[in-house]
């Protein structure tokens, strides 16, 4: 069983870890700075909310296509190029006098470089850290990801207050430039895994979708990941209303929102680091069910401290995503890791956004946030059960990655080929 010491002893992982942490902090900082800047300019909460959420759109709209770039070009070059592009675009947003539309469009343009960068990092990690070390590294990334979200938002608000929104944007640009420098110096050069050049970008994207959806193992992994993410993310959108239901305000909202990430951090450490690999896999279905089943008792409208315990337990169960992500990436052929990552993340974003919107609409109708949170848990459990009933056991799993679709088959299925 790998240890944190062994993982951080690898120089390339240290570079990937630090660069990713800087990029995450920069992402949160830019969201805060742009939303504040837009609100100060327009005095519109709606425009500020749109500016805050626009960075999620690339994943849903074109994410799977962009992530395919991580399979067609050297992944080190993809990460460095994306970081430098984001540094440049974010720095341009700090220019005084830009119209609000250009500020939002610029943030969207910068966000287009996130999918290929993250796909390239995800695909590189198993090459840097094989075996159980990769799972442990994923756990570390999950913990720091949760902490980076909290620190990025809190620190972003502080920097905006101290430096002004435009000063905070320049600081954000610096995080991406530093990330690019770390990768350039410490990450080894590797050739792209797919250099055939016989297929188009769209054909490669379709090949990634076909690989994930036709392989029994990969399909089970992503469907379980989508279900878990959807029904644990939806309650987070109700925490302001839930705090109001409990006669609380902004402080209570923050406490409620922090409960699940805190549980996830504990789960990533205990389940992701201190559980043996074979046992970790056997516990995965139970952890997945725990993530949703823990929300069920909230339906009874318990006191605040009890609710916080249930929410933290749901977050702890959500740590199953650490092992699930590691298994998914390991079982995808190296040549298809970027595009498969794009399919998984795009589906997760759609599932999370859709579930959150539906839960919010239901809360507006019934005006009973604890009931809706409990129903989210119930829906998650009911939806997971058919997937887990056919869950692949360790002895049923092949030690080799899934077989990638043939490039000729991809080309034969493309509309352009059929038209010819």
């Amino acid at each position: 069983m790998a240890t944190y010491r062994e993982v951080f002893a690898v120089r390339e992982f240290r570079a990937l870890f630090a660069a990713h942490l800087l990029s995450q902090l920069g992402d949160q900082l830019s969201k805060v700075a742009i939303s504040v800047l837009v609100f100060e300019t327009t005095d519109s909460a709606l425009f500020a909310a749109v500016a805050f959420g626009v960075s999620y759109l690339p994943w849903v709209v074109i994410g799977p296509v962009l992530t395919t770039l991580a399979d067609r070009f050297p992944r080190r070059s993809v990460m460095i190029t994306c970081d430098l592009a984001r540094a440049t675009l974010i720095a341009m947003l700090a220019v005084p006098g830009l119209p609000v539309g250009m500020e939002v469009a610029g943030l969207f343009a910068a966000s287009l470089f996130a999918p290929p960068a993250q796909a390239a990092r995800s695909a590189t990690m198993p090459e840097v850290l094989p075996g159980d070390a990769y799972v442990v590294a994923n756990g570390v990334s999950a913990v720091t990801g949760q902490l980076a979200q909290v620190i990025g938002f809190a620190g972003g608000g502080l920097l905006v207050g101290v430096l002004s929104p435009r000063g905070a944007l320049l600081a954000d640009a610096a995080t991406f430039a530093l990330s690019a420098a770390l990768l350039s110096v410490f990450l080894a050069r590797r050739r792209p895994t797919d250099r055939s050049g016989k297929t188009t970008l769209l054909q490669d994207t379709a090949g990634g979708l076909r690989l994930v959806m036709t392989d029994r193992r990969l399909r089970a992994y992503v469907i379980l990941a989508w279900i878990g993410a959807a029904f644990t993310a939806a309650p987070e959108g109700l925490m302001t209303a839930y705090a109001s239901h409990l006669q609380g305000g902004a402080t209570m909202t923050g406490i409620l929102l922090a409960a699940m990430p805190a549980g996830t951090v504990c789960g990533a450490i205990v389940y992701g680091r201190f559980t043996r690999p074979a046992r970790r896999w056997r516990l995965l279905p139970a952890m997945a069910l725990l993530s949703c089943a823990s929300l069920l008792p909230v339906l009874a409208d318990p006191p605040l401290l009890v609710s916080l315990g249930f929410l933290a337990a749901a977050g702890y169960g959500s740590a199953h995503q650490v092992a699930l992500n590691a298994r998914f990436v390991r079982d995808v052929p190296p040549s298809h890791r970027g595009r498969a990552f794009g399919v998984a993340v795009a589906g997760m974003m759609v599932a999370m956004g859709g579930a959150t919107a539906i839960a919010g609409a239901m809360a507006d109708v019934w005006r009973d946030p604890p009931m809706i949170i409990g129903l989210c848990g119930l829906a998650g459990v009911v939806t997971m059960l058919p997937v887990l009933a056919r869950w692949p056991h360790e002895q049923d799993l092949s030690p080799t990655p899934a077989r990638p679709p043939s490039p000729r088959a991809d080309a034969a299925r493309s509309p352009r080929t059929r038209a010819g």
Side-chain angles (χ1 to χ4, degrees):
M1 187 166 61
T3 65
Y4 290 141
R5 182 187 295 273
E6 292 170 352
V7 165
F8 279 101
V10 180
R11 187 181 72 165
E12 285 190 284
F13 171 70
R14 293 199 302 270
L16 282 169
F17 176 82
H20 185 54
L21 181 60
L22 284 168
S23 296
Q24 285 182 309
L25 292 171
D27 283 339
Q28 311 307 330
L29 180 55
S30 63
K31 292 173 188 176
V32 174
I34 289 293
S35 60
V36 170
L37 190 61
V38 169
F39 184 77
E40 288 180 351
T41 305
T42 65
D43 196 31
S44 168
L46 174 61
F47 287 160
V50 170
F52 184 87
V54 73
S55 60
Y56 295 111
L57 282 178
W59 282 105
V60 178
V61 177
I62 197 173
V65 177
L66 294 173
T67 55
T68 302
L69 295 172
D71 292 334
R72 296 175 71 93
F73 299 98
R75 287 161 180 160
R76 175 181 178 273
S77 299
V78 170
M79 287 184 277
I80 294 171
T81 301
C82 289
D83 277 345
L84 291 176
R86 286 187 283 184
T88 302
L89 288 167
I90 295 296
M92 291 172 60
L93 296 180
V95 175
L98 286 181
V100 169
M102 289 190 66
E103 296 279 2
V104 176
L107 181 59
F108 177 79
S111 301
L112 289 172
F113 292 92
Q118 291 190 32
R121 176 186 180 273
S122 178
T124 302
M125 284 276 285
E127 299 173 357
V128 172
L129 291 168
D132 191 56
Y134 172 60
V135 181
V136 173
N138 260 347
V140 172
S141 297
V143 170
T144 54
Q146 297 291 332
L147 294 176
Q149 186 173 6
V150 175
I151 294 171
F153 284 143
L158 180 63
L159 277 176
V160 168
V162 173
L163 301 178
S164 80
R166 299 189 192 281
L169 287 172
L170 290 175
D172 178 21
T175 65
F176 287 116
L178 182 55
S179 172
L182 286 171
L183 295 172
S184 178
V185 173
F186 296 109
L187 192 62
R189 298 177 184 272
R190 291 177 174 85
R191 291 185 177 184
T193 55
D194 181 8
R195 303 187 300 276
S196 63
K198 296 178 181 178
T199 55
T200 68
L201 196 63
L202 290 178
Q203 287 168 351
D204 283 351
T205 304
L209 178 62
R210 188 157 43 252
L211 170 68
V212 172
M213 289 295 106
T214 56
D215 184 88
R216 184 176 70 89
R217 292 174 296 167
L218 301 182
R219 185 172 63 245
Y221 300 160
V222 296
I223 291 176
L224 185 64
W226 293 343
I227 293 171
F231 291 108
T232 54
E236 291 183 334
L238 303 176
M239 291 308 168
T240 301
Y242 190 25
S244 177
H245 173 82
L246 295 172
Q247 309 301 314
T251 300
M252 185 179 291
T253 300
I255 293 172
L256 289 167
L257 280 170
M260 277 204 276
T264 303
V265 168
C266 294
I269 294 172
V270 176
Y271 172 74
R273 162 63 183 90
F274 294 106
T275 304
R276 294 190 176 278
R279 180 172 174 77
R280 190 187 298 138
W281 183 255
R282 289 196 301 269
L283 287 176
L284 194 147
M287 290 284 288
L289 285 172
L290 177 66
S291 69
C292 290
S294 298
L295 298 172
L296 274 167
V298 179
L299 192 148
D301 197 9
L304 173 62
L305 289 178
V306 178
S307 287
L308 289 174
F310 288 132
L311 293 172
Y316 184 91
S318 295
H320 75 277
Q321 300 272 7
V322 173
L324 197 57
N325 175 64
R327 175 71 74 166
F328 175 79
V329 174
R330 196 205 72 171
D331 286 356
V332 171
S335 61
H336 284 61
R337 281 176 179 155
R339 66 198 83 174
F341 177 84
V343 171
V345 175
M348 189 172 291
M349 292 291 182
V350 172
M352 291 167 64
T356 301
I358 292 171
M362 292 173 66
D364 274 349
V365 173
W366 280 289
R367 301 288 179 180
D368 191 345
M371 181 186 75
I372 304 304
I373 292 172
L375 290 177
C376 286
L378 177 62
V381 170
V382 170
T383 312
M384 280 181 180
L385 287 175
V387 180
L388 295 178
R390 303 183 63 185
W391 189 250
H393 298 287
E394 186 72 32
Q395 61 268 25
D396 300 329
L397 294 173
S398 169
T400 59
R403 187 173 181 177
S406 166
R408 290 186 178 182
D410 288 348
R413 290 184 179 95
S414 71
R416 187 179 66 181
T417 303
R418 288 198 304 267

